Amino acid sequence: MFKGILIEKDESAYRASVKELDEAQLPDGSVTVRVSHSTLNYKDGLAITGKAPVVRKFPLVPGIDLAGVVEQSTHPEYKPGDSVVLNGWGVGEGHWGGLAQKARLNGDWLVPLPAAFAPQQAMAIGTAGYTAMLCVMALERHGVRPEHGEILVTGAAGGVGSVAIAVLAKLGYTVVAATGRAQDGDYLKLLGAAEIVDRALFSNAGKPLGRERWAGAIDVVGSHVLANICATLKYRGVVAACGLAAGMDFPATVAPFILRGVTLAGVDSVMCPRNERLVAWQRLAKDLDVAKLGTIGREVSLAEAIPLAESILKGEVRGRVVVDVNR
Ligand code: NDP
């Protein structure tokens, strides 16, 4: 038996609770992992609360991320004792996930834990941090360099935003952090933000084109915020868009694209090919100051993670929540 969060749904209720589970209930897979840590992402918040139909079958263990040690394997690349990380691939949505002491997975989904990180540090990064790295790589791929000017990071005090600021600052970019939490200014400066701006500046419908300011941007918010970023990118600027914290809509015009040649680069972490994941994790090991993970992450137990699911959806969680599944 092992402990995990289980999401159940019937005619009367949608509920998540910590349960004793039987190993026989685990799904099929080539690798069984003894999980040590998982984490709470925005998507886990949606799954645990049921606020959006993220969970595709019931009952289900949520958790789109995990770090742990291989217990059993029939996969050629993994043997018992190997330390591994998993992000995405629909785990925690349609396949039992990381918010439990055990998981059984397709070995092709796993990434070896980089030597630079302890398991809890890998989970302080998690999908949010690995997505932040994919966004930085997207800016680089489209030619954005530190000397080109300021980079705007939205949702700055959240998970993707926090890691994005730390990585961009270490790479020498000038980072402007957009946040609704003025009280977290010291935290954002500690991560490497050069300036803090109020997110309200971007929240309402704006003009098709505004004063050119940003050489690049990483946006987790969507809706008017993404439209306003496009309208204020410099000529040939780039925005890496990965989130929808304010909505799925994109109320923009084509003006910034056809008059300023800006690029809207979409970023998806879930189905991102394995090679690019390996590069992203290698880049995190090199380009993220490990000491900053202590500032970004805090640890909770499985039971404590459940009420935090509501908080993350309200934008009340600062940085990253690491879940010690054995606590
Ligand atoms: P967090 O909840 O940790 O951070 C989101 C932040 O967005 C909040 O902290 C807040 O920042 C800001 N925010 C929230 N609501 C609004 C709003 N209405 N208007 C403006 N800003 C708002 O979430 P994550 O960082 O984990 O994820 C961020 C987004 O990215 C989510 O939408 C998530 O689904 C998406 N995502 C997508 C991935 C992909 O593969 N494409 C992978 C990972 C995440 P502040 O308090 O600083 O204002």
Side-chain angles (χ1 to χ4, degrees), residues 86-151:
L86 172 125
N87 310 109
W89 293 118
V91 172
E93 300 180 59
H95 186 102
W96 279 26
L99 285 164
Q101 291 169 315
K102 287 212 180 166
R104 189 170 295 133
L105 307 145
N106 178 343
D108 294 342
W109 297 339
L110 298 169
V111 167
L113 175 72
F117 302 125
Q120 53 272 50
Q121 290 173 322
M123 289 296 99
I125 295 169
T127 285
Y130 138 72
T131 303
M133 192 71 234
L134 292 177
C135 289
V136 172
M137 287 160 58
L139 295 184
E140 291 174 341
R141 199 164 51 242
H142 288 92
V144 179
R145 305 272 171 270
E147 61 274 20
H148 293 170
E150 295 168 312
I151 309 295

Side-chain angles (χ1 to χ4, degrees), residues 63-319:
I64 66 171
D65 287 321
L66 64 85
V69 173
V70 172
E71 198 171 77
Q72 284 176 349
S73 171
T74 56
H75 191 279
E77 281 181 46
Y78 297 101
K79 57 179 190 321
D82 288 347
S83 293
V84 292
V85 178
L86 172 125
N87 310 109
W89 293 118
V91 172
E93 300 180 59
H95 186 102
W96 279 26
L99 285 164
Q101 291 169 315
K102 287 212 180 166
R104 189 170 295 133
L105 307 145
N106 178 343
D108 294 342
W109 297 339
L110 298 169
V111 167
L113 175 72
F117 302 125
Q120 53 272 50
Q121 290 173 322
M123 289 296 99
I125 295 169
T127 285
Y130 138 72
T131 303
M133 192 71 234
L134 292 177
C135 289
V136 172
M137 287 160 58
L139 295 184
E140 291 174 341
R141 199 164 51 242
H142 288 92
V144 179
R145 305 272 171 270
E147 61 274 20
H148 293 170
E150 295 168 312
I151 309 295
L152 180 71
V153 174
T154 64
V160 175
S162 295
V163 177
I165 292 169
V167 170
L168 287 167
K170 184 156 183 225
L171 290 170
Y173 289 91
T174 305
V175 184
V176 177
T179 185
R181 288 184 257 189
Q183 72 278 14
D184 284 337
D186 287 346
Y187 164 76
L188 297 171
K189 290 232 160 113
L190 202 64
L191 295 183
E195 189 184 334
I196 319 290
V197 292
D198 188 340
R199 76 183 197 194
L201 292 174
F202 305 89
S203 300
N204 299 314
K207 293 184 186 153
L209 288 174
R211 183 175 70 82
E212 293 181 39
R213 176 159 184 193
W214 318 111
I218 293 180
D219 179 54
V220 309
V221 179
S223 193
H224 289 301
V225 174
L226 180 57
N228 287 326
I229 290 171
C230 290
T232 51
L233 282 170
K234 284 184 174 180
Y235 189 77
R236 292 214 163 177
V238 183
V239 53
C242 72
L244 42 52
M248 280 267 242
D249 58 331
F250 179 43
T253 77
V254 296
F257 304 100
I258 62 174
L259 297 175
R260 292 186 180 160
V262 308
T263 298
L264 171 54
V267 172
D268 166 59
S269 64
V270 180
M271 303 309 286
C272 173
R274 183 177 151 82
N275 285 352
E276 209 172 310
R277 286 169 189 259
L278 291 171
V279 173
W281 275 100
Q282 283 158 8
R283 289 286 309 271
L284 284 161
K286 187 161 72 72
D287 297 329
L288 175 64
D289 186 352
V290 174
K292 289 195 177 154
L293 288 175
T295 309
I296 292 172
R298 67 177 157 122
E299 240 172 75
V300 302
S301 67
L302 276 175
E304 288 164 337
I306 294 175
L308 280 173
E310 289 277 359
S311 312
I312 199 166
L313 298 184
K314 289 187 195 145
E316 291 169 356
V317 170
R318 187 174 94 176

